[in-house]
């Protein structure tokens, strides 16, 4: 949804810019997006009025043809609401992705999911995995207790936090302690194994060493 700013605020922003303030400072001062400030200034320099244009904004309701396109794309195309919005636009239907999202959620009853990830396997790898499973299909618990499982993994010494998830609630932004970031963090590559009864010690793989079959045997 497009946020409308009163004409008084727009004129105030132009006055601040004329007074020498930067667009970034004006954006923070009046609470408007910097791209909005930039557009107001460009329009002002072109002599375009800052008033709202009649009929401005996207439709909040979907026509019948749009609903048909969205419904057919739900399972076949597997597209995001933004891509669906672009597809509708190519068909002459201009709506926001939030309108499409609201229709999918409230009318169709669909939910949004992240696309799952899976390893890319060659036909030979798939065949080997299937053979491995078939050969052990009738294994008992006692059989699996005699198996050793091993794996290796890299760990960043100075791990960068997810800023979106690690959000701080406070009244004053300046009171937040910054998180120090390393541009090229060091990594520690370790290997270990486990059995039914015990865990091995972690083996630190030397820096720059590639883990090959020969290295595993050594």
């Amino acid at each position: 949804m497009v946020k409308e700013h009163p004409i008084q605020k727009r004129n105030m922003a132009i006055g601040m810019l004329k007074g020498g303030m930067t667009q970034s400072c004006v954006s923070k001062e009046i609470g408007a997006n910097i791209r909005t400030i930039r557009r107001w200034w460009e329009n002002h320099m072109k002599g375009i009025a800052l008033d709202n244009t009649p009929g401005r904004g996207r439709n909040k309701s979907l026509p019948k043809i749009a609903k048909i396109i969205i419904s057919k794309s739900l399972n076949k195309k597997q597209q995001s609401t933004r891509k669906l919005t672009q597809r509708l636009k190519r068909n002459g239907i201009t709506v926001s992705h939030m309108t499409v999202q609201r229709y999918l959620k409230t009318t169709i009853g669909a939910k949004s999911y992240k696309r799952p990830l899976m390893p890319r396997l060659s036909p030979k790898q798939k065949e080997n995995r299937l053979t491995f499973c078939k050969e052990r299909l009738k294994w008992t618990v006692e059989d699996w207790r005699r198996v050793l499982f091993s794996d290796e993994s890299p760990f960043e010494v100075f791990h960068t936090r997810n800023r979106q998830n690690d959000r701080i609630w406070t009244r004053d932004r300046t009171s937040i302690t910054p998180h120090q970031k390393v541009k090229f963090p060091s990594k520690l590559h370790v290997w270990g194994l486990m059995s039914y009864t015990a865990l091995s010690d972690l083996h630190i793989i030397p820096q720059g060493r590639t883990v090959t079959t020969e290295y595993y045997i050594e």
Side-chain angles (χ1 to χ4, degrees):
M1 183 181 296
V2 178
K3 183 178 180 181
E4 298 291 352
H5 296 278
I7 187 64
Q8 294 84 355
K9 180 180 287 189
R10 304 181 190 192
N11 290 329
M12 184 186 301
I14 297 300
M16 291 178 177
L17 292 171
K18 287 182 176 180
M21 291 182 65
T22 64
Q23 293 181 359
S24 178
C25 291
V26 174
S27 172
K28 294 178 181 178
E29 185 70 24
I30 69 174
N33 190 286
I34 190 170
R35 288 178 294 183
T36 301
I37 301 296
R38 186 179 299 117
R39 186 177 68 252
W40 291 348
W41 180 249
E42 291 175 352
N43 289 343
H44 172 74
M45 296 301 293
K46 295 176 182 178
I48 301 175
L50 298 178
D51 297 337
N52 289 335
T53 303
R56 180 172 174 269
R58 289 171 290 212
N59 295 326
K60 297 181 181 179
S61 60
L62 290 169
K64 185 176 180 180
I65 184 63
K67 296 178 181 180
I68 295 175
I69 292 175
I70 294 173
S71 299
K72 288 184 176 180
S73 301
L74 188 61
N75 295 320
K76 294 182 179 180
K77 298 291 184 179
Q78 294 187 348
Q79 295 176 327
S80 66
T81 54
R82 294 184 184 277
K83 289 184 177 180
L84 274 173
T85 302
Q86 295 172 2
R87 186 181 176 194
L88 291 172
K89 188 175 182 179
R90 291 194 296 269
N91 284 271
I93 305 169
T94 303
V95 293
S96 71
H97 76 278
M98 291 301 298
T99 302
V100 176
Q101 180 176 313
R102 186 166 55 250
Y103 175 75
L104 285 168
K105 184 177 180 180
T106 59
T107 304
I108 297 183
K111 297 180 180 180
S112 63
Y113 298 94
K114 291 183 179 180
R115 189 180 296 275
L117 300 177
M118 62 181 298
R120 187 180 184 88
L121 302 176
S122 66
K124 182 61 177 177
Q125 290 173 322
K126 293 179 181 179
E127 181 181 348
N128 291 341
R129 293 193 176 195
L130 181 59
T131 301
F132 178 89
C133 294
K134 286 182 177 180
E135 291 176 349
R136 293 158 180 80
L137 185 62
K138 296 183 179 181
W139 273 28
T140 64
V141 174
E142 292 300 324
D143 293 326
W144 286 110
R145 285 181 178 179
R146 294 192 291 269
V147 176
L148 293 176
F149 296 91
S150 69
D151 197 8
E152 75 275 351
S153 180
F155 294 90
E156 289 186 354
V157 179
F158 297 98
H159 180 67
T160 303
R161 300 177 184 178
N162 187 319
R163 296 181 64 191
Q164 179 62 30
N165 296 335
D166 189 31
R167 301 184 72 86
I168 307 299
W169 290 82
T170 181
R171 291 187 176 89
D172 184 10
R173 184 176 183 179
T174 60
S175 65
I176 302 176
T177 304
H179 175 70
Q180 296 183 354
K181 177 183 177 182
V182 179
K183 190 171 184 180
F184 301 105
S186 301
K187 291 185 179 181
L188 189 66
H189 204 172
V190 299
W191 172 90
L193 59 82
M194 68 178 183
S195 68
Y196 178 78
T197 58
L199 299 174
S200 72
D201 294 332
L202 287 179
H203 173 73
I204 299 177
I205 300 172
Q207 191 78 18
R209 181 63 186 266
T210 304
V211 180
T212 61
T213 305
E214 292 74 17
Y215 184 76
Y216 258 110
I217 296 175
E218 293 177 5

